[in-house]
């Protein structure tokens, strides 16, 4: 059984590849990834070195490449992570979001359908999407359900909404065996330090300001990436074709409170560890000062969605999936991962890794 994993060198995709490989070692995983700034082969390097995962550098918009891959591997399952994923970038430069998230998803759907019509092998096309397609909630609004009308408000969210509609259309019109998951904010290992939690962690380590948009009052629901991977696996194995499942962490918190939690966790960890104080001398925690002093309120994100929250009762009732990682534990283990993997985050931030990719594969077109 072969599975195509698009975007498997990105944050969630890489975590999923590790997760799926451990839980389903009999499956053959083929990762297709363009290795944009957000894709990092180091995140799946041990599996590649051991020959346990096959990697192809390529673009999901490349129809000829997709046709070749489907013909070669006759995939039984596709899990589609590849996307432009950062809201701030979509506000500055939306074109890449429409190209990859909309056109790329359409290319993948076309290739999957053509292959399925030839061989009948494809059992599932799973599309990984976001709760942002549902819009923004007020403080006391009920959480998004799978039936909530779409109301995307950023170019990123609009591109993901369009891709969801295309995936559903391929299910309804052509009978492709699709599923979609719409999930809340993930965090954990291999997270590129442009998103809130990893950015705050690497800035705390380097004694740099912690930029909090507006007053830090916006609310997100945090889902540890391992819980997300468990949910996707369950949908692949037991989810009903044609269905959408919301996935959330049941851990809503305002941004400023979250940043304060990270600061306090740093202070406690550094207090008892002279080695950390030696390794990261610029961190306030190394100098016995409170990390919260780095919090800096900056101009708000344009159109900033106030709150996301998802109702997870469907996936819980149908598939028995619920988040297992409590936010405090997940933050502590994520801080630990960044402390243990300094080479990873330094190389992705300095562009050293991108240079390595370009020297091995040629610059991305
Ligand atoms: P990411 O930005 O970390 O990774 C995206 C991956 O896709 C990278 O490896 C990148 O190289 C690859 N990619 C980008 N364009 C490509 C193209 N044209 N062809 C092939 N590969 C390409 O993203 P992520 O945070 O891991 O998110 C994965 C998926 O989950 C996305 O679809 C995103 O919309 C969705 N999602 C993310 C979150 C979150 O909190 N991170 C939450 C909900 C949904
Ligand atoms: O809800 C799911 C979505 O979560 C995913 O679909 C997206 O791919 C993912 O990027 C994420 O979107 P957000 O915009 O919520 O994540 P981000 O980490 O960029 O921001 C989280 C919150 O923190 C948001 O309210 C903006 C705020 N923020 C973010 C950054 C990067 C700050 O206050 N300061 C920052 O520097």
């Amino acid at each position: 059984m072969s599975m195509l994993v698009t975007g498997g060198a990105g944050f969630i995709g890489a975590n999923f590849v590790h997760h799926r490989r451990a839980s389903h070692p009999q499956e053959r995983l083929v990762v297709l990834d363009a290795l944009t700034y957000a894709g990092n082969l180091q995140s799946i390097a041990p599996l590649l070195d051991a020959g346990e995962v096959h990697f192809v550098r390529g673009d999901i918009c490349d129809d000829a490449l997709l046709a070749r891959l489907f013909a070669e591997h006759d995939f039984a399952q596709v899990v589609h992570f590849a996307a432009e994923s950062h809201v701030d970038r979509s506000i500055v430069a939306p074109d890449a979001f429409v190209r990859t998230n909309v056109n790329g998803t359409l290319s993948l759907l076309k290739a999957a359908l053509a292959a399925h019509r030839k061989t009948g092998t494809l059992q599932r096309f799973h599309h990984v999407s976001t709760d942002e397609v549902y819009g923004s909630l007020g403080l006391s609004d009920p959480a998004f359900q799978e039936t909530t009308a779409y109301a995307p408000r950023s170019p990123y969210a609009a591109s993901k909404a369009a891709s969801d509609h295309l995936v559903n259309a391929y299910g309804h019109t052509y009978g492709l065996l699709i599923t979609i998951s719409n999930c809340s904010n993930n965090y954990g290992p291999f997270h590129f330090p442009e998103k809130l939690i990893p950015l705050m962690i690497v800035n705390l380590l380097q004694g740099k300001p912690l930029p909090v948009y507006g007053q830090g009052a916006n609310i997100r629901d945090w889902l540890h990436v391992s819980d997300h991977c468990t949910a996707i696996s369950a949908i692949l194995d037991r989810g009903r074709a044609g269905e959408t499942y919301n996935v959330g962490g049941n851990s809503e918190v305002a941004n400023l409170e979250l940043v304060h939690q990270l600061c306090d966790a740093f202070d406690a960890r550094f207090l008892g560890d002279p080695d950390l104080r030696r390794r990261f001398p610029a961190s306030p925690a190394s100098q016995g000062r409170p990390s919260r002093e780095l919090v800096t309120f900056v101009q708000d994100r344009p159109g900033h969605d106030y709150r996301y929250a998802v109702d997870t009762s469907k996936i819980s009732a149908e598939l028995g999936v619920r988040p297992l990682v409590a936010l405090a534990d997940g933050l502590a283990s994520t801080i630990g991962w960044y402390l243990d993997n300094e080479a990873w985050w330094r190389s992705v931030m300095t562009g050293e890794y991108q240079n390595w990719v370009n020297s091995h594969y040629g610059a991305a077109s």
Side-chain angles (χ1 to χ4, degrees):
M1 209 283 287
S2 288
M3 177 188 288
L4 174 64
V5 183
T6 72
F11 161 48
I12 305 173
N15 277 283
F16 177 79
V17 167
H18 284 284
H19 181 98
R20 190 76 185 179
R21 180 69 207 156
S23 65
H24 293 65
Q26 76 285 3
E27 289 175 358
R28 180 176 157 73
L29 302 185
V30 177
V31 170
L32 171 64
D33 197 298
L35 299 180
T36 68
Y37 78 95
N40 195 323
L41 271 189
Q42 292 169 85
S43 306
I44 50 171
L47 297 175
L48 298 177
D49 293 346
E52 294 180 17
V53 168
H54 182 66
F55 175 75
V56 178
R57 187 185 191 194
D59 192 325
I60 57 165
C61 300
D62 183 341
D63 294 324
L65 170 65
L66 292 178
R68 242 187 1 260
L69 283 179
F70 274 90
E72 194 181 330
H73 299 281
D74 198 19
F75 298 113
Q77 296 186 311
V78 174
V79 191
H80 178 32
F81 294 95
E84 290 290 337
S85 68
H86 191 36
V87 173
D88 291 325
R89 286 179 190 256
S90 82
I91 293 167
V92 178
D95 301 59
F97 287 72
V98 173
R99 181 184 179 278
T100 289
N101 301 0
V102 185
N103 298 338
T105 299
L106 179 59
S107 288
L108 200 58
L109 286 163
K110 286 193 296 183
L113 181 63
H116 187 58
R117 282 180 166 164
K118 260 192 212 131
T119 67
T121 306
L122 191 72
Q123 292 308 306
R124 183 58 57 86
F125 183 112
H126 181 72
H127 178 55
V128 180
S129 191
T130 172
D131 57 3
E132 300 198 13
V133 299
Y134 298 120
S136 176
L137 294 169
L139 190 56
S140 51
D141 288 338
F144 302 127
Q145 295 182 311
E146 287 81 357
T147 49
T148 301
Y150 275 27
R153 291 156 40 108
S154 72
Y156 163 70
S159 70
K160 291 298 289 187
S163 66
D164 290 9
H165 290 318
L166 284 168
V167 174
N168 268 320
Y170 265 66
H172 286 291
T173 308
Y174 306 110
L176 200 66
L177 298 169
I178 62 101
T179 39
I180 299 178
S181 50
N182 294 87
C183 80
S184 59
N185 286 61
N186 284 220
Y187 69 102
F190 306 118
H191 205 180
F192 190 83
E194 64 180 355
K195 310 278 170 60
L196 182 70
I197 288 179
L199 178 70
M200 296 297 145
I201 292 175
V202 302
N203 282 7
L204 278 162
L205 290 171
Q206 298 171 100
K208 292 184 177 173
L210 308 178
V212 172
Y213 297 168
Q215 297 305 305
N218 300 62
I219 296 169
R220 295 292 182 267
D221 168 34
W222 293 98
L223 170 69
H224 193 271
V225 66
S226 62
D227 282 329
H228 187 194
C229 293
T230 301
I232 294 172
S233 250
I235 295 168
L236 285 170
D237 295 344
R238 308 190 300 281
R240 287 181 295 139
E243 293 294 315
T244 286
Y245 295 90
N246 284 347
V247 185
N250 299 337
S251 293
E252 282 187 62
V253 58
N255 292 338
L256 184 59
E257 191 188 328
L258 180 85
V259 173
H260 281 164
Q261 282 187 36
L262 285 168
C263 290
D264 297 349
F266 255 76
D267 293 348
R269 195 183 275 252
F270 274 60
L271 191 65
D273 192 333
D275 187 47
L276 284 181
R277 297 199 291 275
R278 182 191 54 74
R279 282 175 60 202
F280 302 102
S283 177
S286 296
Q287 299 156 21
R289 299 202 312 275
S291 295
R292 288 188 187 201
E293 73 178 30
L294 293 176
V295 170
T296 307
F297 294 99
V298 300
Q299 195 176 3
D300 209 350
R301 171 187 282 174
H304 196 172
D305 287 342
Y306 173 60
R307 173 178 165 237
Y308 307 134
V310 292
D311 180 335
T312 55
S313 46
K314 179 176 173 180
I315 193 165
S316 159
E318 277 191 25
L319 306 180
V321 169
R322 39 186 75 76
L324 299 178
V325 182
L327 183 59
D329 296 339
L331 290 179
S333 65
T334 302
I335 292 170
W337 188 86
Y338 281 83
L339 290 171
D340 293 344
N341 292 276
E342 188 180 351
W344 183 94
W345 58 263
R346 284 205 190 276
S347 77
V348 301
M349 288 173 70
T350 57
E352 180 193 314
Y353 166 72
Q354 204 60 46
N355 292 338
W356 180 87
V357 168
N358 292 342
S359 70
H360 280 69
Y361 292 97
S365 53

